[in-house]
Amino acid sequence: MRSYRRGSRSAFAVGLAFMVSTPMLIMVTPAQAVVGTGVTETAYDFTARLNIGNGVRACSAALVAPQWLAASASCFSDDGASEQVASGAPKWKTTATLGRSNLNATGGQVREVVEIVPRPGRDVVMARLSAPTTGITPVPTAITAPGTGEELQVAGFGRTKGEWAPIKLHKATFKASSLTHSTLGISGKTAADAICAGDAGAPIVRTAGDGGFELVALVSRSWQGGCFGSEETRTDAIGARLDNIVVGNKIITGTTLFPGDNLVSNSMRLTMQSDGDLVITANGSGKALWSTKTAGHAGATARFTVGGNLIVVDADGTTVLWESKTSAANGTVVLQNRGNLVIYNGNNESQWSSGTVVRHDYDGDGRSDMASWYDYSDGSDKIHTFLADAAGKFQEPGSGYVKAKGTWWAEHMKFATGDFNGDGRGDVAAFYGYDNGSVSLFTWLATGDGKFAEGITSWTVPAGNWTWSRIKVQSGDFNGDGRDDVAAWYDYADGSDKLFTFTAKANGGFNAPFSSFSKTSGWTASRMKFTTGDYNADGRDDIGVFYGYADGNSRLFTFTAKPTGGFGEPLGGWEDAKWGSSDRTSVFSGDFNGDGRDDFGTWYDYADGHDTAFSFNPSSTDGKFGNRTEIWNVAEGQYWRDHMQISTGDYNGDGRDDLGAFYGYDNGTVRTITWTAKADGTLNEPVKSWTAETGWAYNRVTLFERYSS
């Protein structure tokens, strides 16, 4: 019986083994491509070349999500042969080059590998990049095993027949020859098709029906026949199978997640742990933000049933420990780049979510941040970014975007913030009203380092169509596709009202608006204060409204979002005839108790000078708001509501939304403040952070939020 064993970790040792024609299957470790033809087309741009330890070792890998590679575990082990590696940062600094078939060229992108997550039981790790790639399409993973004799392609940066360290990507054709639960055996279609040192982790792909590729396996071991310095003639190789494990950010009905399986995205990771708990963890902080709370059941698995119910099943295979209680036949489970785990039915309509979205995270570290537009007295403008640290405090503001005087007029802009291109980073949008009466919708996309690209316009109407002053702008993922959209409540001059939705495109721009809710009378925009959030936990953001009636009555309404991004008739919830003045009420929204559903919040500025914050939890899965709960209060004279701008977000990365504020004092000092949320949804005492005594004018600052009120 043939015995396979791995070679040593050094390129010299691998070469020596071949020099003496040792009859063994050798690990395809250190060096730099598949023996075959060079690659010049962009179809293999998902193939990465890994430089480990600044030349200590070189491997190949495959991009399976914008910020994640599937790679060989042995590439990161101490001896270059073992599949046993620890989770966390790699031992040696590792850089990945993608989208560049010639390493001496200047195209493509280079990222550092900042974290590896091993998949127990096979030669595979998931490798997280320092920032998402852009413009390179990840390769989807196959869900069926290759048949015997099926032709497959392998692309890698390893040695060739005549080069020890080539600089070009090569590809070769192989045929599937054998299959075990964890490995795939392949053999070169011709004697010229072989796998060499440096190809460990190289993608083994099949041609899909649409002409693209499906990732079947990763190269693990090879005889290295025909490679530089080898006298071996055999071209057989072994790959680590990926078709029967979870790789990427999505699963379909009928899929099982075994212990060690992960779904990955730009901001989060979903892991089926060996203790039986299904957990969502933030990439940056490593904090667990959501779980099924099923720990203590070793050997449990997660299944997305044929009927579309996500369940955790005990090791006995029958006892259900947790379930989403959804019916989504032919559906999918997707871990979005913005952090939400969402179940979609066969029509791609969201049905359930974990409620773990990270809002306005401008630097991609898994924590929310604050940002503002500053209108300088000389006519210039700047976006300042206040990045949050692990304690939820805001750091000294960075310059995110600067424009010379005369380009923008802040008094002509209505802002909203959201992840409009679905990359997991917060962007900025604004309706701009021109002097000639025309209106445009702009987007400033985040670049991942707290900065923003130049604004792009995607929608414009000439004068006589929309009046800028009649627009109330909101943002949220109203159709559940993983990208935030923009909604506009339009208050017509004749007293009628319409709610329009601008769904977001993949590039962060917006489609032309469509209207859903419409009334000829009965609503007065000046009496409405808006918020957005997922109030019924279906994976789509809704609109919440505080309505102050002329007779002094106050009521909360929920406009739940439809799969199209439109809205249904409002649901009336909490109501109070003795609430007080609507003018003394300001609103906010967030998931303050971490239950996966956003809450509606109000800040009430009492006439005697004291202040109280309240939350209104959705009373049922329909999103209607129930009775109020006091979550924080302060004695008179401490805070003045008209001196502060509020923005909610998970600033300390613990899975609960907090309250952040930009505060302006009478003496000209400005300051950032954070109220972090407790597990019961109440707020801790405020913590002050960045402060400036001079150089800032509070009334020139517009703090970005998801809604306007």
Side-chain angles (χ1 to χ4, degrees):
M1 183 175 182
R2 180 178 293 174
S3 174
Y4 297 133
R5 70 181 181 88
R6 302 179 183 277
S8 68
R9 65 180 178 178
S10 71
F12 176 76
V14 171
L16 180 62
F18 282 107
M19 290 291 287
V20 296
S21 302
T22 306
M24 62 182 70
L25 198 64
I26 300 204
M27 175 66 196
V28 287
T29 49
Q32 293 76 263
V34 171
V35 174
T37 58
V39 174
T40 57
E41 68 269 26
T42 60
Y44 293 89
D45 277 358
F46 55 79
T47 305
R49 195 261 193 179
L50 301 181
N51 182 349
I52 301 172
N54 194 25
V56 170
R57 190 172 298 155
C59 289
S60 301
L63 186 73
V64 294
Q67 202 168 348
W68 290 86
L69 301 172
S72 169
S74 51
C75 289
F76 297 93
S77 65
D78 287 347
D79 61 1
S82 172
E83 297 177 4
Q84 304 301 313
V85 293
S87 295
K91 180 177 181 179
W92 297 286
K93 180 179 179 179
T94 302
T95 56
T97 302
L98 301 102
R100 187 185 300 174
S101 59
N102 185 331
L103 296 176
N104 282 345
T106 57
Q109 295 161 50
V110 179
R111 299 285 189 272
E112 185 175 348
V113 173
V114 295
E115 180 185 15
I116 56 173
V117 182
R119 203 299 179 177
R122 62 193 70 192
D123 187 16
V124 174
V125 295
M126 299 300 295
R128 182 165 65 91
L129 303 175
S130 55
T133 55
T134 57
I136 300 175
T137 302
V139 59
T141 307
I143 58 174
T144 58
T148 301
E150 181 179 345
E151 288 194 2
L152 305 167
Q153 298 290 319
V154 180
F157 285 97
R159 293 180 204 164
T160 63
K161 182 177 182 179
E163 295 178 283
W164 175 272
I167 60 171
K168 294 182 179 180
L169 178 67
H170 284 69
K171 65 179 180 179
T173 302
F174 290 78
K175 290 186 176 183
S177 56
S178 63
L179 207 64
T180 71
H181 177 70
S182 60
T183 64
L184 166 68
I186 58 176
S187 57
K189 182 178 180 180
T190 70
D193 297 312
I195 291 172
C196 302
D199 288 323
I204 304 174
V205 299
R206 66 153 62 100
T207 301
D210 61 0
F213 295 113
E214 291 180 346
L215 183 61
V216 173
L218 298 177
V219 168
S220 179
R221 291 165 284 172
S222 168
W223 284 103
Q224 304 195 55
C227 299
F228 184 90
S230 172
E231 297 179 4
E232 179 60 61
T233 59
R234 286 167 290 188
T235 59
D236 297 343
I238 295 292
R241 286 180 63 184
L242 299 180
D243 63 279
N244 61 349
I245 63 173
V246 175
V247 176
N249 73 330
K250 179 170 65 176
I251 59 173
I252 62 173
T253 51
T255 301
T256 297
L257 281 73
F258 294 95
D261 278 340
N262 295 273
L263 290 180
V264 294
S265 77
N266 291 355
S267 60
M268 301 287 177
R269 179 169 71 249
L270 174 75
T271 303
M272 186 65 230
Q273 296 184 164
S274 59
D275 65 0
D277 207 5
L278 185 64
V279 181
I280 296 176
T281 306
N283 287 338
S285 66
K287 289 184 179 179
L289 304 185
W290 175 92
S291 86
T292 54
K293 296 179 173 57
T294 50
H297 295 269
T301 58
R303 303 176 188 173
F304 190 37
T305 67
V306 173
N309 191 20
L310 181 62
I311 62 176
V312 175
V313 182
D314 210 344
D316 62 11
T318 58
T319 303
V320 176
L321 304 173
W322 176 90
E323 61 179 325
S324 62
K325 299 180 180 179
T326 51
S327 296
N330 301 312
T332 55
V333 177
V334 177
L335 185 62
Q336 297 175 342
N337 283 328
R338 65 196 204 123
N340 225 8
L341 183 71
V342 180
I343 295 175
Y344 295 90
N345 65 16
N347 295 322
N348 205 32
E349 299 169 344
S350 59
Q351 305 294 301
W352 174 94
S353 81
S354 60
T356 48
V357 60
V358 180
R359 297 182 172 108
H360 44 88
D361 176 9
Y362 300 119
D363 62 349
D365 66 354
R367 294 188 295 267
S368 298
D369 309 299
M370 292 200 308
S372 67
W373 186 281
Y374 197 93
D375 174 31
Y376 286 90
S377 58
D378 66 358
S380 62
D381 295 86
K382 180 184 287 189
I383 294 178
H384 289 100
T385 310
F386 302 83
L387 302 180
D389 64 18
K393 295 181 179 180
F394 299 105
Q395 303 171 48
E396 182 176 349
S399 177
Y401 171 82
V402 180
K403 212 63 180 174
K405 63 180 179 179
T407 305
W408 303 101
W409 299 90
E411 63 269 26
H412 288 211
M413 307 174 80
K414 294 190 176 185
F415 296 100
T417 185
D419 180 9
F420 301 120
N421 62 355
D423 66 354
R425 300 184 296 240
D427 312 306
V428 177
F431 282 99
Y432 196 90
Y434 291 90
D435 289 335
N436 65 3
S438 63
V439 179
S440 292
L441 181 53
F442 287 87
T443 310
W444 291 262
L445 295 175
T447 58
D449 53 1
K451 299 181 184 299
F452 298 87
E454 186 60 57
I456 59 172
T457 181
S458 55
W459 176 81
T460 298
V461 289
N465 290 273
W466 286 58
T467 301
W468 177 84
S469 61
R470 293 187 173 278
I471 298 170
K472 294 273 193 178
V473 58
Q474 334 296 331
S475 69
D477 184 8
F478 302 124
N479 60 2
D481 66 353
R483 297 190 296 267
D484 282 318
D485 312 301
V486 164
W489 183 283
Y490 196 88
D491 173 32
Y492 287 89
D494 64 1
S496 61
D497 294 86
K498 278 188 180 181
L499 186 51
F500 291 90
T501 305
F502 299 74
T503 55
K505 302 177 182 178
N507 67 354
F510 299 95
N511 293 299
F514 66 91
S515 65
S516 49
F517 175 79
S518 177
K519 291 294 181 184
T520 57
S521 62
W523 295 84
T524 303
S526 61
R527 295 188 175 279
M528 304 171 72
K529 299 177 187 289
F530 296 88
T531 65
T532 61
D534 185 2
Y535 301 122
N536 57 2
D538 66 354
R540 298 187 295 270
D541 283 324
D542 313 302
I543 292 178
V545 170
F546 179 96
Y547 199 96
Y549 291 90
D551 62 3
N553 190 37
S554 301
R555 193 172 192 186
L556 295 182
F557 291 92
T558 309
F559 292 79
T560 55
K562 300 177 181 180
T564 60
F567 298 90
E569 289 293 314
L571 302 173
W574 168 88
E575 188 173 11
D576 191 343
K578 299 180 180 180
W579 168 258
S581 171
S582 176
D583 293 337
R584 291 187 172 276
T585 305
S586 53
V587 300
F588 52 89
S589 181
D591 182 8
F592 303 111
N593 59 4
D595 67 353
R597 287 187 295 173
D598 285 309
D599 313 309
F600 193 102
T602 61
W603 182 293
Y604 197 87
D605 176 27
Y606 287 90
D608 66 1
H610 85 277
D611 296 82
T612 303
F614 299 94
S615 71
F616 300 79
N617 302 109
S619 58
S620 63
T621 55
D622 61 9
K624 291 170 62 174
F625 298 108
N627 291 328
R628 69 178 187 243
T629 300
E630 182 180 301
I631 59 175
W632 185 77
N633 70 81
V634 65
E636 62 183 275
Q638 300 297 308
Y639 287 90
W640 300 90
R641 181 61 187 89
D642 57 357
H643 285 213
M644 59 194 298
Q645 299 179 51
I646 289 176
S647 178
T648 57
D650 184 6
Y651 298 119
N652 60 358
D654 66 355
R656 298 187 296 270
D657 281 324
D658 313 304
L659 209 60
F662 186 91
Y663 198 93
Y665 295 86
D666 288 337
N667 65 0
T669 298
V670 295
R671 174 175 285 154
T672 55
I673 305 171
T674 312
W675 290 258
T676 56
K678 302 177 184 178
D680 62 359
T682 61
L683 302 178
N684 289 300
E685 288 302 306
V687 176
K688 301 170 183 177
S689 48
W690 171 81
T691 302
E693 296 181 355
T694 60
W696 286 69
Y698 173 80
N699 62 356
R700 290 189 173 276
V701 175
T702 301
L703 192 67
F704 300 144
E705 184 47 294
R706 308 188 312 278
Y707 36 81
S708 60
S709 294

PDB file of all heavy atoms in Angstrom, residues 124-152:
ATOM      1  N   VAL A 124      -6.643  23.016   5.925  1.00  0.00           N
ATOM      2  CA  VAL A 124      -7.329  24.236   5.501  1.00  0.00           C
ATOM      3  C   VAL A 124      -7.342  25.243   6.646  1.00  0.00           C
ATOM      4  O   VAL A 124      -7.579  24.880   7.801  1.00  0.00           O
ATOM      5  CB  VAL A 124      -8.789  23.947   5.070  1.00  0.00           C
ATOM      6  CG1 VAL A 124      -9.538  25.245   4.768  1.00  0.00           C
ATOM      7  CG2 VAL A 124      -8.826  23.028   3.867  1.00  0.00           C
ATOM      8  N   VAL A 125      -7.068  26.497   6.322  1.00  0.00           N
ATOM      9  CA  VAL A 125      -7.335  27.604   7.235  1.00  0.00           C
ATOM     10  C   VAL A 125      -8.088  28.677   6.467  1.00  0.00           C
ATOM     11  O   VAL A 125      -7.956  28.806   5.246  1.00  0.00           O
ATOM     12  CB  VAL A 125      -6.053  28.234   7.835  1.00  0.00           C
ATOM     13  CG1 VAL A 125      -5.313  27.260   8.716  1.00  0.00           C
ATOM     14  CG2 VAL A 125      -5.154  28.802   6.746  1.00  0.00           C
ATOM     15  N   MET A 126      -8.880  29.444   7.199  1.00  0.00           N
ATOM     16  CA  MET A 126      -9.425  30.682   6.670  1.00  0.00           C
ATOM     17  C   MET A 126      -8.485  31.790   7.126  1.00  0.00           C
ATOM     18  O   MET A 126      -8.133  31.869   8.307  1.00  0.00           O
ATOM     19  CB  MET A 126     -10.835  30.931   7.191  1.00  0.00           C
ATOM     20  CG  MET A 126     -11.839  29.855   6.799  1.00  0.00           C
ATOM     21  SD  MET A 126     -12.019  29.671   5.015  1.00  0.00           S
ATOM     22  CE  MET A 126     -12.706  31.273   4.605  1.00  0.00           C
ATOM     23  N   ALA A 127      -8.039  32.625   6.191  1.00  0.00           N
ATOM     24  CA  ALA A 127      -7.072  33.677   6.486  1.00  0.00           C
ATOM     25  C   ALA A 127      -7.714  35.036   6.247  1.00  0.00           C
ATOM     26  O   ALA A 127      -8.127  35.346   5.126  1.00  0.00           O
ATOM     27  CB  ALA A 127      -5.829  33.516   5.612  1.00  0.00           C
ATOM     28  N   ARG A 128      -7.794  35.836   7.321  1.00  0.00           N
ATOM     29  CA  ARG A 128      -8.430  37.151   7.212  1.00  0.00           C
ATOM     30  C   ARG A 128      -7.411  38.197   6.791  1.00  0.00           C
ATOM     31  O   ARG A 128      -6.311  38.271   7.349  1.00  0.00           O
ATOM     32  CB  ARG A 128      -9.078  37.549   8.539  1.00  0.00           C
ATOM     33  CG  ARG A 128      -9.802  38.901   8.482  1.00  0.00           C
ATOM     34  CD  ARG A 128     -10.728  39.093   9.672  1.00  0.00           C
ATOM     35  NE  ARG A 128     -10.012  39.156  10.927  1.00  0.00           N
ATOM     36  CZ  ARG A 128      -9.573  40.287  11.486  1.00  0.00           C
ATOM     37  NH1 ARG A 128      -9.754  41.447  10.867  1.00  0.00           N
ATOM     38  NH2 ARG A 128      -8.952  40.257  12.649  1.00  0.00           N
ATOM     39  N   LEU A 129      -7.790  39.015   5.813  1.00  0.00           N
ATOM     40  CA  LEU A 129      -6.923  40.067   5.302  1.00  0.00           C
ATOM     41  C   LEU A 129      -7.099  41.347   6.105  1.00  0.00           C
ATOM     42  O   LEU A 129      -8.120  41.562   6.761  1.00  0.00           O
ATOM     43  CB  LEU A 129      -7.228  40.330   3.827  1.00  0.00           C
ATOM     44  CG  LEU A 129      -7.111  39.114   2.897  1.00  0.00           C
ATOM     45  CD1 LEU A 129      -7.549  39.480   1.484  1.00  0.00           C
ATOM     46  CD2 LEU A 129      -5.692  38.569   2.892  1.00  0.00           C
ATOM     47  N   SER A 130      -6.114  42.219   6.027  1.00  0.00           N
ATOM     48  CA  SER A 130      -6.136  43.466   6.793  1.00  0.00           C
ATOM     49  C   SER A 130      -7.246  44.400   6.352  1.00  0.00           C
ATOM     50  O   SER A 130      -7.700  45.240   7.135  1.00  0.00           O
ATOM     51  CB  SER A 130      -4.787  44.172   6.667  1.00  0.00           C
ATOM     52  OG  SER A 130      -4.451  44.369   5.298  1.00  0.00           O
ATOM     53  N   ALA A 131      -7.696  44.273   5.112  1.00  0.00           N
ATOM     54  CA  ALA A 131      -8.786  45.096   4.592  1.00  0.00           C
ATOM     55  C   ALA A 131      -9.438  44.336   3.446  1.00  0.00           C
ATOM     56  O   ALA A 131      -8.796  43.500   2.799  1.00  0.00           O
ATOM     57  CB  ALA A 131      -8.270  46.450   4.104  1.00  0.00           C
ATOM     58  N   PRO A 132     -10.715  44.599   3.167  1.00  0.00           N
ATOM     59  CA  PRO A 132     -11.373  43.909   2.061  1.00  0.00           C
ATOM     60  C   PRO A 132     -10.717  44.245   0.727  1.00  0.00           C
ATOM     61  O   PRO A 132     -10.223  45.353   0.519  1.00  0.00           O
ATOM     62  CB  PRO A 132     -12.809  44.448   2.107  1.00  0.00           C
ATOM     63  CG  PRO A 132     -12.977  45.011   3.479  1.00  0.00           C
ATOM     64  CD  PRO A 132     -11.631  45.506   3.891  1.00  0.00           C
ATOM     65  N   THR A 133     -10.711  43.289  -0.172  1.00  0.00           N
ATOM     66  CA  THR A 133     -10.282  43.550  -1.536  1.00  0.00           C
ATOM     67  C   THR A 133     -11.416  44.241  -2.283  1.00  0.00           C
ATOM     68  O   THR A 133     -12.583  44.136  -1.906  1.00  0.00           O
ATOM     69  CB  THR A 133      -9.916  42.249  -2.256  1.00  0.00           C
ATOM     70  OG1 THR A 133     -11.038  41.352  -2.186  1.00  0.00           O
ATOM     71  CG2 THR A 133      -8.713  41.595  -1.604  1.00  0.00           C
ATOM     72  N   THR A 134     -11.075  44.942  -3.340  1.00  0.00           N
ATOM     73  CA  THR A 134     -12.083  45.613  -4.158  1.00  0.00           C
ATOM     74  C   THR A 134     -11.847  45.258  -5.618  1.00  0.00           C
ATOM     75  O   THR A 134     -10.706  45.174  -6.071  1.00  0.00           O
ATOM     76  CB  THR A 134     -12.009  47.139  -3.989  1.00  0.00           C
ATOM     77  OG1 THR A 134     -10.693  47.598  -4.320  1.00  0.00           O
ATOM     78  CG2 THR A 134     -12.328  47.544  -2.562  1.00  0.00           C
ATOM     79  N   GLY A 135     -12.928  45.031  -6.342  1.00  0.00           N
ATOM     80  CA  GLY A 135     -12.826  44.770  -7.771  1.00  0.00           C
ATOM     81  C   GLY A 135     -12.382  43.373  -8.136  1.00  0.00           C
ATOM     82  O   GLY A 135     -12.183  43.078  -9.319  1.00  0.00           O
ATOM     83  N   ILE A 136     -12.205  42.487  -7.156  1.00  0.00           N
ATOM     84  CA  ILE A 136     -11.833  41.096  -7.420  1.00  0.00           C
ATOM     85  C   ILE A 136     -12.977  40.219  -6.930  1.00  0.00           C
ATOM     86  O   ILE A 136     -13.340  40.260  -5.750  1.00  0.00           O
ATOM     87  CB  ILE A 136     -10.526  40.704  -6.711  1.00  0.00           C
ATOM     88  CG1 ILE A 136      -9.375  41.596  -7.186  1.00  0.00           C
ATOM     89  CG2 ILE A 136     -10.193  39.236  -6.955  1.00  0.00           C
ATOM     90  CD1 ILE A 136      -8.071  41.355  -6.454  1.00  0.00           C
ATOM     91  N   THR A 137     -13.538  39.423  -7.807  1.00  0.00           N
ATOM     92  CA  THR A 137     -14.680  38.586  -7.447  1.00  0.00           C
ATOM     93  C   THR A 137     -14.203  37.319  -6.758  1.00  0.00           C
ATOM     94  O   THR A 137     -13.419  36.556  -7.328  1.00  0.00           O
ATOM     95  CB  THR A 137     -15.494  38.213  -8.693  1.00  0.00           C
ATOM     96  OG1 THR A 137     -15.924  39.413  -9.347  1.00  0.00           O
ATOM     97  CG2 THR A 137     -16.703  37.376  -8.316  1.00  0.00           C
ATOM     98  N   PRO A 138     -14.639  37.063  -5.516  1.00  0.00           N
ATOM     99  CA  PRO A 138     -14.263  35.813  -4.850  1.00  0.00           C
ATOM    100  C   PRO A 138     -14.785  34.609  -5.625  1.00  0.00           C
ATOM    101  O   PRO A 138     -15.817  34.683  -6.307  1.00  0.00           O
ATOM    102  CB  PRO A 138     -14.936  35.931  -3.481  1.00  0.00           C
ATOM    103  CG  PRO A 138     -15.147  37.400  -3.278  1.00  0.00           C
ATOM    104  CD  PRO A 138     -15.434  37.944  -4.643  1.00  0.00           C
ATOM    105  N   VAL A 139     -14.090  33.491  -5.517  1.00  0.00           N
ATOM    106  CA  VAL A 139     -14.520  32.278  -6.204  1.00  0.00           C
ATOM    107  C   VAL A 139     -15.520  31.543  -5.314  1.00  0.00           C
ATOM    108  O   VAL A 139     -15.267  31.325  -4.128  1.00  0.00           O
ATOM    109  CB  VAL A 139     -13.314  31.379  -6.551  1.00  0.00           C
ATOM    110  CG1 VAL A 139     -12.532  30.968  -5.318  1.00  0.00           C
ATOM    111  CG2 VAL A 139     -13.763  30.155  -7.344  1.00  0.00           C
ATOM    112  N   PRO A 140     -16.691  31.168  -5.838  1.00  0.00           N
ATOM    113  CA  PRO A 140     -17.662  30.434  -5.024  1.00  0.00           C
ATOM    114  C   PRO A 140     -17.207  28.999  -4.794  1.00  0.00           C
ATOM    115  O   PRO A 140     -16.475  28.421  -5.611  1.00  0.00           O
ATOM    116  CB  PRO A 140     -18.936  30.486  -5.868  1.00  0.00           C
ATOM    117  CG  PRO A 140     -18.462  30.658  -7.272  1.00  0.00           C
ATOM    118  CD  PRO A 140     -17.205  31.471  -7.192  1.00  0.00           C
ATOM    119  N   THR A 141     -17.641  28.430  -3.694  1.00  0.00           N
ATOM    120  CA  THR A 141     -17.267  27.067  -3.345  1.00  0.00           C
ATOM    121  C   THR A 141     -18.253  26.074  -3.948  1.00  0.00           C
ATOM    122  O   THR A 141     -19.465  26.298  -3.926  1.00  0.00           O
ATOM    123  CB  THR A 141     -17.238  26.895  -1.820  1.00  0.00           C
ATOM    124  OG1 THR A 141     -16.409  27.905  -1.257  1.00  0.00           O
ATOM    125  CG2 THR A 141     -16.693  25.532  -1.435  1.00  0.00           C
ATOM    126  N   ALA A 142     -17.737  24.973  -4.466  1.00  0.00           N
ATOM    127  CA  ALA A 142     -18.590  23.917  -5.013  1.00  0.00           C
ATOM    128  C   ALA A 142     -19.374  23.256  -3.886  1.00  0.00           C
ATOM    129  O   ALA A 142     -18.924  23.211  -2.736  1.00  0.00           O
ATOM    130  CB  ALA A 142     -17.742  22.888  -5.740  1.00  0.00           C
ATOM    131  N   ILE A 143     -20.534  22.721  -4.217  1.00  0.00           N
ATOM    132  CA  ILE A 143     -21.338  22.013  -3.213  1.00  0.00           C
ATOM    133  C   ILE A 143     -21.518  20.547  -3.586  1.00  0.00           C
ATOM    134  O   ILE A 143     -22.196  19.809  -2.882  1.00  0.00           O
ATOM    135  CB  ILE A 143     -22.712  22.682  -3.026  1.00  0.00           C
ATOM    136  CG1 ILE A 143     -23.486  22.731  -4.345  1.00  0.00           C
ATOM    137  CG2 ILE A 143     -22.556  24.077  -2.444  1.00  0.00           C
ATOM    138  CD1 ILE A 143     -24.910  23.239  -4.204  1.00  0.00           C
ATOM    139  N   THR A 144     -20.906  20.126  -4.690  1.00  0.00           N
ATOM    140  CA  THR A 144     -20.927  18.713  -5.075  1.00  0.00           C
ATOM    141  C   THR A 144     -19.505  18.251  -5.340  1.00  0.00           C
ATOM    142  O   THR A 144     -18.667  19.005  -5.842  1.00  0.00           O
ATOM    143  CB  THR A 144     -21.779  18.481  -6.335  1.00  0.00           C
ATOM    144  OG1 THR A 144     -21.270  19.284  -7.411  1.00  0.00           O
ATOM    145  CG2 THR A 144     -23.233  18.845  -6.081  1.00  0.00           C
ATOM    146  N   ALA A 145     -19.234  17.005  -5.002  1.00  0.00           N
ATOM    147  CA  ALA A 145     -17.894  16.445  -5.186  1.00  0.00           C
ATOM    148  C   ALA A 145     -17.633  16.173  -6.664  1.00  0.00           C
ATOM    149  O   ALA A 145     -18.555  15.871  -7.426  1.00  0.00           O
ATOM    150  CB  ALA A 145     -17.758  15.156  -4.387  1.00  0.00           C
ATOM    151  N   PRO A 146     -16.384  16.275  -7.098  1.00  0.00           N
ATOM    152  CA  PRO A 146     -16.070  15.942  -8.492  1.00  0.00           C
ATOM    153  C   PRO A 146     -16.189  14.442  -8.733  1.00  0.00           C
ATOM    154  O   PRO A 146     -15.903  13.625  -7.848  1.00  0.00           O
ATOM    155  CB  PRO A 146     -14.623  16.423  -8.644  1.00  0.00           C
ATOM    156  CG  PRO A 146     -14.072  16.416  -7.264  1.00  0.00           C
ATOM    157  CD  PRO A 146     -15.206  16.735  -6.352  1.00  0.00           C
ATOM    158  N   GLY A 147     -16.621  14.086  -9.926  1.00  0.00           N
ATOM    159  CA  GLY A 147     -16.709  12.679 -10.289  1.00  0.00           C
ATOM    160  C   GLY A 147     -15.384  12.162 -10.814  1.00  0.00           C
ATOM    161  O   GLY A 147     -14.520  12.928 -11.269  1.00  0.00           O
ATOM    162  N   THR A 148     -15.191  10.870 -10.759  1.00  0.00           N
ATOM    163  CA  THR A 148     -13.957  10.267 -11.258  1.00  0.00           C
ATOM    164  C   THR A 148     -13.764  10.618 -12.732  1.00  0.00           C
ATOM    165  O   THR A 148     -14.675  10.467 -13.546  1.00  0.00           O
ATOM    166  CB  THR A 148     -14.000   8.743 -11.089  1.00  0.00           C
ATOM    167  OG1 THR A 148     -14.182   8.430  -9.705  1.00  0.00           O
ATOM    168  CG2 THR A 148     -12.709   8.105 -11.595  1.00  0.00           C
ATOM    169  N   GLY A 149     -12.585  11.125 -13.043  1.00  0.00           N
ATOM    170  CA  GLY A 149     -12.275  11.506 -14.411  1.00  0.00           C
ATOM    171  C   GLY A 149     -12.661  12.926 -14.771  1.00  0.00           C
ATOM    172  O   GLY A 149     -12.333  13.396 -15.868  1.00  0.00           O
ATOM    173  N   GLU A 150     -13.352  13.625 -13.869  1.00  0.00           N
ATOM    174  CA  GLU A 150     -13.749  15.002 -14.162  1.00  0.00           C
ATOM    175  C   GLU A 150     -12.516  15.889 -14.280  1.00  0.00           C
ATOM    176  O   GLU A 150     -11.599  15.818 -13.457  1.00  0.00           O
ATOM    177  CB  GLU A 150     -14.663  15.540 -13.063  1.00  0.00           C
ATOM    178  CG  GLU A 150     -15.131  16.971 -13.308  1.00  0.00           C
ATOM    179  CD  GLU A 150     -16.056  17.480 -12.212  1.00  0.00           C
ATOM    180  OE1 GLU A 150     -16.559  16.658 -11.413  1.00  0.00           O
ATOM    181  OE2 GLU A 150     -16.269  18.710 -12.157  1.00  0.00           O
ATOM    182  N   GLU A 151     -12.487  16.729 -15.317  1.00  0.00           N
ATOM    183  CA  GLU A 151     -11.357  17.622 -15.514  1.00  0.00           C
ATOM    184  C   GLU A 151     -11.470  18.846 -14.607  1.00  0.00           C
ATOM    185  O   GLU A 151     -12.532  19.459 -14.485  1.00  0.00           O
ATOM    186  CB  GLU A 151     -11.264  18.061 -16.975  1.00  0.00           C
ATOM    187  CG  GLU A 151     -10.795  16.957 -17.902  1.00  0.00           C
ATOM    188  CD  GLU A 151     -10.377  17.474 -19.269  1.00  0.00           C
ATOM    189  OE1 GLU A 151     -10.422  18.712 -19.479  1.00  0.00           O
ATOM    190  OE2 GLU A 151     -10.005  16.648 -20.120  1.00  0.00           O
ATOM    191  N   LEU A 152     -10.347  19.183 -13.981  1.00  0.00           N
ATOM    192  CA  LEU A 152     -10.268  20.309 -13.060  1.00  0.00           C
ATOM    193  C   LEU A 152      -9.057  21.158 -13.411  1.00  0.00           C
ATOM    194  O   LEU A 152      -8.083  20.662 -13.980  1.00  0.00           O
ATOM    195  CB  LEU A 152     -10.145  19.810 -11.614  1.00  0.00           C
ATOM    196  CG  LEU A 152     -11.234  18.850 -11.128  1.00  0.00           C
ATOM    197  CD1 LEU A 152     -10.824  18.199  -9.818  1.00  0.00           C
ATOM    198  CD2 LEU A 152     -12.564  19.579 -10.972  1.00  0.00           C
TER     199      LEU A 152
END
